[in-house]
Amino acid sequence: MVIVDTGFWLALANQNDIYHSQATTKLSQVKEPLITTWAVVTETCYLLLTKMGNYAQIRFLNSLSLGAFLVFDLQPSHSGHICQLMEKYANLPMDFADASLVILAEHLGHGRILSVDRRDFNTYRWKNKHPFENLMDLDS
């Protein structure tokens, strides 16, 4: 499974996004399931609504209902670790959606991600030591 961040979803949805072409190409190359978190789904819907309108968020949610990606369920037991991560990366700062993706990477045992947020995902470490592998940085 490949982890997906909000910026990647936004780039896919918006033809005017500077990463749209790269995101579309990368999506066509990925041959395994995509996974994200409800925090990312919520953030993506909000940003699609405010930047592109109601139908953009509806299209995104319809893609979920059609099985285009999976959603990992955070548990209440994750909240303490999420707070620790937000404190550790307060200088960026780390938001809840990004923290949820670190939890997801730890659950999956890998940090392969599709994200346009290179600064943050080049800084974050899952299990405190493992870097993310941003597939957007790899040559097509």
Side-chain angles (χ1 to χ4, degrees):
M1 288 189 207
V2 175
I3 301 166
V4 185
D5 186 27
T6 302
F8 183 83
W9 296 127
L10 297 176
L12 279 178
N14 185 351
Q15 293 181 357
N16 296 321
D17 189 288
I18 61 171
Y19 297 107
H20 177 76
S21 178
Q22 184 184 9
T24 302
T25 299
K26 287 294 177 186
L27 182 62
S28 70
Q29 294 170 346
V30 172
K31 302 301 182 206
E32 55 190 294
L34 304 177
I35 189 167
T36 196
T37 64
W38 287 113
V40 170
V41 170
T42 301
E43 183 177 61
T44 301
C45 284
Y46 171 77
L47 291 171
L48 286 172
L49 175 64
T50 58
K51 294 177 183 238
M52 297 179 63
N54 192 45
Y55 290 111
Q57 73 173 343
I58 290 171
R59 281 191 303 274
F60 174 68
L61 289 173
N62 277 332
S63 71
L64 171 59
S65 70
L66 294 172
F69 60 96
L70 304 170
V71 181
F72 174 74
D73 284 320
L74 291 171
Q75 300 300 312
S77 60
H78 291 128
S79 61
H81 187 39
I82 288 171
C83 290
Q84 290 171 344
L85 289 165
M86 290 173 157
E87 288 174 6
K88 178 178 181 176
Y89 296 107
N91 61 318
L92 292 176
M94 176 184 265
D95 65 19
F96 177 58
D98 285 359
S100 74
L101 294 178
V102 174
I103 298 294
L104 176 55
E106 292 175 351
H107 173 79
L108 294 174
H110 73 75
R112 289 181 301 110
I113 191 167
L114 290 166
S115 177
V116 301
D117 187 354
R118 288 169 168 91
R119 179 197 69 168
D120 291 352
F121 283 96
N122 284 336
T123 304
Y124 301 149
R125 297 292 183 261
W126 55 277
K127 294 201 176 184
N128 290 319
K129 61 181 177 182
H130 301 290
F132 278 83
E133 178 188 0
N134 192 344
L135 302 181
M136 290 290 283
D137 291 340
L138 302 177
D139 291 331
S140 297

